[in-house]
C-alpha cells in the first residue's frame, strides 16, 4: 500500500518552488516547451520525504497515511535529484530535504520579486543619456543652414550608433560617454519610441544620400555655408522629420519627468 500524492498536492509542491528542482545545488527547470506548440514537458517529480510505503527510503512508521501523502511530506525535484535522494538516505536525511524545501520556497518568492522589480529608474537614466545625444546642431539648425552636409550626416550617424550601443562618438572620434543601447530599455513603449526615432534617423541619412546623388541642393556663401534646395518639399521633409523626432523625444521626456529638451530652436517659417 503506497501513500501517493494526489495531483493537487503534486501541483502545489511544484508551484511553491516555481517548477524548479528543490535541490539548491541543482535548481533545474522541470517544465518547458515540448515539440508540439501546445505540449508542455514535465521532468519534475513530487518525491516523498519519508517513503510512501514500508521499506522505502526514510520510511517513518509513526506517521499516518494522511500525513505521508500530505504536501508536508513532499518535495519537488528533477528526475535525477529524486533518484539521488533515494539512493543514499544517509546523505539525504529528512532534515536535509526539509531544509532544501524551505530554501527553494524562499528562492521562488525571490524569483517573483525579481520579475516585478522596478527598472524604471534605470530606463530613465539611459533615456537621459540618449537625450544628450540629440543636443547638437544637427537637430536644431534648419537643413539649409547646416554648415557641411558631411558633418550633418556624420552627426546623424553618431546619434544612431549612440542609440544602438550607448556609445557617443564626438566629432574627433573620441568616445564621449559609455552606456547601453536602447534595447536595454525595459519599458516597451519607450523602447518602441526610440526604435521609431532610430528608423527616422536612418531614413534621413538615406534620403540625404539620394538627394546628394541627384544634385537636389547646392551650397552657397562664403565662410558660413548655406544650402539651396531645388525641391522645397524635400527641404521641408528634412526639417519636419527632425521636428518629428524631437517631438517623440519630448513626449518621452515628459513621461519620465525630465525636462531635457531645452535645445535652442530657431523659428521655422515656411
Ligand atoms: Zn535536480
Amino acid at each position: 500500500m503506497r501513500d501517493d500524492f494526489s495531483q493537487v498536492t503534486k501541483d502545489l509542491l511544484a508551484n511553491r518552488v516555481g517548477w524548479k528542482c528543490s535541490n539548491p545545488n541543482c535548481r533545474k527547470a522541470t517544465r518547458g516547451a515540448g515539440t508540439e506548440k501546445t505540449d508542455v514537458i514535465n521532468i519534475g517529480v513530487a518525491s516523498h520525504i519519508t517513503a510512501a510505503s514500508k521499506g522505502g527510503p526514510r520510511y517513518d512508521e509513526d506517521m499516518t497515511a494522511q500525513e505521508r501523502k500530505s504536501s508536508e511530506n513532499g518535495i519537488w525535484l528533477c528526475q535525477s535529484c529524486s533518484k539521488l535522494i533515494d539512493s543514499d538516505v544517509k546523505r539525504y536525511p529528512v532534515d536535509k530535504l526539509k531544509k532544501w524545501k524551505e530554501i527553494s520556497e524562499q528562492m521562488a518568492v525571490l524569483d517573483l520579486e525579481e520579475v516585478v522589480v522596478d527598472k524604471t529608474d534605470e530606463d530613465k537614466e539611459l533615456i537621459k543619456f540618449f537625450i544628450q545625444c540629440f543636443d547638437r546642431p544637427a537637430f536644431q539648425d534648419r537643413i539649409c543652414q547646416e554648415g557641411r552636409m558631411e558633418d550633418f550626416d556624420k552627426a546623424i550617424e553618431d546619434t544612431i550608433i549612440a542609440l544602438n550601443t550607448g556609445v557617443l562618438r564626438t566629432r574627433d572620434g573620441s568616445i564621449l560617454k559609455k552606456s547601453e543601447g536602447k534595447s536595454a530599455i525595459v519599458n516597451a513603449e519607450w523602447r518602441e519610441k526610440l526604435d521609431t526615432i532610430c528608423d527616422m534617423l536612418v531614413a534621413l541619412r538615406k534620403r540625404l544620400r539620394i538627394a546628394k546623388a541627384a544634385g537636389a541642393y547646392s551650397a552657397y556663401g562664403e565662410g558660413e555655408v548655406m544650402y539651396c534646395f531645388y525641391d522645397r518639399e524635400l527641404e521641408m521633409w528634412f526639417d519636419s522629420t527632425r521636428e518629428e523626432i524631437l517631438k517623440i523625444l519630448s513626449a518621452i521626456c515628459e513621461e519620465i519627468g525630465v525636462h531635457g529638451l531645452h535645445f535652442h530652436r530657431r523659428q521655422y517659417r515656411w
Side-chain angles (χ1 to χ4, degrees):
M1 172 70 192
R2 284 181 56 88
D3 296 319
D4 290 324
F5 297 124
S6 67
Q7 193 56 50
V8 173
T9 302
K10 288 178 187 176
D11 289 346
L12 178 69
L13 288 169
N15 279 320
R16 282 183 63 86
V17 292
W19 292 82
K20 282 182 187 164
C21 174
S22 299
N23 176 353
N25 302 310
C26 174
R27 300 279 296 155
K28 202 153 72 185
T30 61
R31 195 171 61 165
T35 43
E36 294 297 315
K37 280 206 165 123
T38 53
D39 278 2
V40 174
I41 292 173
N42 177 22
I43 53 153
V45 181
S47 300
H48 281 77
I49 293 176
T50 72
S53 56
K54 209 164 188 167
R58 293 169 299 270
Y59 183 75
D60 182 352
E61 56 182 11
D62 293 336
M63 278 168 84
T64 65
Q66 208 54 46
E67 285 170 335
R68 234 171 259 129
K69 60 168 101 171
S70 75
S71 68
E72 299 278 301
N73 191 40
I75 180 167
W76 188 256
L77 295 166
C78 72
Q79 278 168 356
S80 52
C81 289
S82 85
K83 289 197 182 89
L84 186 71
I85 63 156
D86 288 350
S87 64
D88 190 349
V89 292
K90 277 212 185 77
R91 225 180 134 180
Y92 304 104
V94 170
D95 287 354
K96 189 173 204 165
L97 300 183
K98 287 201 164 159
K99 192 77 204 160
W100 279 9
K101 189 177 173 179
E102 191 190 324
I103 291 169
S104 294
E105 289 179 349
Q106 284 168 354
M107 283 170 94
V109 173
L110 288 176
D111 283 350
L112 283 182
E113 286 171 350
E114 202 179 348
V115 172
V116 297
V117 88
D118 199 353
K119 299 273 189 201
T120 309
D121 285 347
E122 286 164 50
D123 277 3
K124 285 182 182 176
E125 280 312 302
L126 196 48
I127 289 170
K128 277 184 211 166
F129 163 72
F130 292 143
I131 291 164
Q132 282 178 33
C133 304
F134 286 85
D135 192 5
R136 55 202 305 172
F139 294 100
Q140 293 143 30
D141 296 341
R142 292 180 57 186
I143 191 83
C144 64
Q145 294 167 323
E146 286 298 333
R148 280 180 64 223
M149 280 303 175
E150 292 76 18
D151 290 340
F152 172 73
D153 185 54
K154 182 79 171 46
I156 302 286
E157 185 190 16
D158 288 345
T159 309
I160 295 169
I161 292 170
L163 281 170
N164 285 330
T165 66
V167 174
L168 182 62
R169 289 186 315 186
T170 57
R171 272 182 187 210
D172 58 12
S174 62
I175 289 165
L176 194 67
K177 199 167 179 177
K178 235 179 172 164
S179 190
E180 281 175 284
K182 61 179 163 51
S183 61
I185 300 279
V186 176
N187 183 306
E189 255 176 63
W190 296 342
R191 206 175 52 234
E192 207 166 280
K193 281 177 181 161
L194 290 168
D195 284 342
T196 305
I197 287 173
C198 209
D199 290 344
M200 292 167 89
L201 291 171
V202 170
L204 276 174
R205 291 194 70 210
K206 282 183 185 167
R207 191 66 189 89
L208 190 64
R209 261 200 303 277
I210 295 169
K212 190 184 179 183
Y217 60 86
S218 65
Y220 65 91
E222 276 163 43
E224 203 175 328
V225 183
M226 297 279 278
Y227 287 90
C228 174
F229 277 78
Y230 306 118
D231 184 342
R232 185 89 176 109
E233 273 182 29
L234 176 61
E235 184 181 353
M236 279 165 63
W237 181 83
F238 275 112
D239 287 335
S240 63
T241 302
R242 287 181 302 163
E243 276 277 279
E244 204 56 42
I245 287 170
L246 294 181
K247 240 187 254 172
I248 299 172
L249 208 57
S250 290
I252 302 175
C253 283
E254 218 159 280
E255 281 175 52
I256 68 172
V258 169
H259 307 289
L261 286 183
H262 289 312
F263 307 157
H264 171 73
R265 307 271 289 280
R266 299 186 189 189
Q267 275 300 312
Y268 286 12
R269 264 184 241 110
W270 303 124

